[in-house]
Amino acid sequence: MIESPVKGSTGNQKGKAAALVEVLGVSLKLGLTSFGGPIAHLGYFHNEYIRRRKWLDERSYADLVALCQFLPGPASSQVGIGIGMIRAGVLGGIVAWLGFTLPSVIALVAFAYLLQGFDIGTAGWIHGLKIVAVAIVAQAILGMGQKLTPDRSRVTIAVAAAAVTLYWQTAYTQVLIIVVAGITGLWLYRAKAVEDSPGLAIKLSRPFAIACLILFFCLLLVFPLLRQWGDVKGLAMFDSFYRSGSLVFGGGHVVLPLLEREVVPTGWVSHEDFLAGYGAAQAVPGPLFTFGAYLGAMAGGISGTVIAVIAIFLPAFLLVAGVLPFWNRIRNNPKVQGGLMGVNAAVVGILLAALYDPLWTTAIVHPMDFALAAGLFVMLVFWKLPPWVIVLAGAAGGILLGVI
């Protein structure tokens, strides 16, 4: 009678530990192989988390992507954090972020010390990885499009979203597209009965979520004031990187001008070193926000790296943790489901636009580039080879194309 609860508690602890190890392993694999920027990352996530492991259903994943596109911050990192939290609670979100982020952090710190001044942007294997991203995103669009745009109304929403995304490229375009698509879906499907998706066992309490949202706004408001009271470089760095991570809509590339305004005029990083680091950031897998690791290393060594990485990603963590516990109620509300149908179609359109620009326009510049992309797509979709094989094949193909 006394031992049973202890055994149950021990079993729960082992289960939690196993879940954390599983999340860390998968996210680390993604952190080592996810090249191509935030939109490509969503394709890698879809393949690993949804198609292979089925941790979420298609609609839940699309809802989570739409939510993270709407929130400020690095959308792909937020999706990964959200999946980690759904799978294994707060610690699951932390280890998912660590696994996905740490490889590129280490690589960019190494770039900061070893590869400044080298023109890596024209390397053949870098071009091959861009072509890999084309194949990965094309697969994601194919899979998500079949599930989320099954009728002509949602196909129309997706195509319209793609057109607006390509024509009107601002930091707030995606947010406005999602809002308009949600209103359109709410009107089009107001009388349609929609099947409830499975409820997710989100292992976060609502008081904790509210505390995260309060902390997000407090840090955003308080640190600029604290910075004025004393000339402490570490405090100033935390403020600069936290604000940059808090005020970005539209993906990782949008954070670059914000970071440049924070680190170049202050003298922490020269303009030339900033551009060199940006070139290096294109060569590594993982989120582009880890460019902050390079800047932190240039400005303050290892301690600067730690401050920059924590500060620039902390807003993403706080926002996801603050919203997830309310997600089931919001997304399964009958009044909201029609809106989410429109939003999910718009997400497919945003992915379609990203497939063309910047992925296609920067990667497919010669006929043989298209041939390599088509081959990689066939290997991924029809041969069903794992993504790491596609990454290696793409890098090798890029080197070969550079030779011939």
Side-chain angles (χ1 to χ4, degrees), residues 237-250:
M237 287 181 61
F238 189 96
D239 171 53
S240 293
F241 284 96
Y242 184 86
R243 278 190 291 107
S244 297
S246 300
L247 303 176
V248 171
F249 290 92

Side-chain angles (χ1 to χ4, degrees), residues 78-380:
Q78 288 171 313
V79 170
I81 291 169
I83 292 175
M85 288 182 175
I86 292 168
R87 188 70 179 175
V90 176
L91 289 179
I94 294 173
V95 298
W97 170 75
L98 281 174
F100 184 57
T101 305
L102 197 57
S104 55
V105 167
I106 294 173
L108 284 173
V109 172
F111 273 125
Y113 292 105
L114 300 176
L115 295 182
Q116 291 184 45
F118 286 83
D119 184 14
I120 62 169
T122 58
W125 63 277
I126 296 295
H127 184 65
L129 294 179
K130 293 179 181 179
I131 298 175
V132 169
V134 171
I136 291 288
V137 173
Q139 184 208 30
I141 292 171
L142 178 64
M144 295 180 70
Q146 290 172 343
K147 297 283 187 179
L148 302 176
T149 57
D151 54 61
R152 64 182 183 182
S153 296
R154 278 178 278 183
V155 168
T156 303
I157 292 173
V159 173
V164 173
T165 300
L166 291 170
Y167 179 75
W168 188 34
Q169 299 186 9
T170 71
Y172 300 97
T173 298
Q174 290 185 9
V175 177
L176 293 175
I177 288 173
I178 288 173
V179 170
V180 172
I183 295 172
T184 304
L186 185 62
W187 181 74
L188 288 175
Y189 301 102
R190 61 190 182 281
K192 183 179 178 65
V194 183
E195 181 181 352
D196 286 350
S197 65
L200 298 175
I202 297 173
K203 303 173 177 65
L204 302 175
S205 68
R206 292 188 178 184
F208 175 79
I210 294 172
C212 287
L213 292 176
I214 292 173
L215 181 59
F216 168 79
F217 288 106
C218 285
L219 292 176
L220 188 61
L221 296 174
V222 169
F223 266 88
L225 298 177
L226 294 177
R227 182 175 182 173
Q228 303 300 320
W229 291 349
D231 186 16
V232 180
K233 186 176 181 180
L235 186 63
M237 287 181 61
F238 189 96
D239 171 53
S240 293
F241 284 96
Y242 184 86
R243 278 190 291 107
S244 297
S246 300
L247 303 176
V248 171
F249 290 92
H253 290 278
V254 182
V255 80
L256 295 173
L258 295 178
L259 288 174
E260 185 175 20
R261 287 196 295 268
E262 295 291 341
V263 302
V264 175
T266 57
W268 295 342
V269 179
S270 70
H271 183 67
E272 292 74 18
D273 287 340
F274 185 92
L275 294 177
Y278 175 60
Q282 310 306 306
V284 298
L288 187 58
F289 266 48
T290 53
F291 180 42
Y294 169 89
L295 298 176
M298 296 294 292
I302 298 301
S303 62
T305 300
V306 173
I307 291 173
V309 170
I310 292 176
I312 201 169
F313 281 101
L314 183 58
F317 185 91
L318 294 176
L319 287 172
V320 173
V323 173
L324 270 184
F326 305 99
W327 188 33
N328 277 335
R329 174 178 292 185
I330 293 172
R331 74 193 188 102
N332 283 323
N333 187 314
K335 297 180 180 179
V336 176
Q337 285 185 344
L340 287 175
M341 292 172 69
V343 167
N344 291 337
V347 169
V348 174
I350 292 171
L351 284 171
L352 182 61
L355 175 63
Y356 175 72
D357 185 16
L359 296 180
W360 188 283
T361 56
T362 58
I364 311 301
V365 295
H366 298 292
M368 290 307 297
D369 295 337
F370 175 78
L372 177 58
L376 295 174
F377 181 80
V378 170
M379 293 167 64
L380 189 63

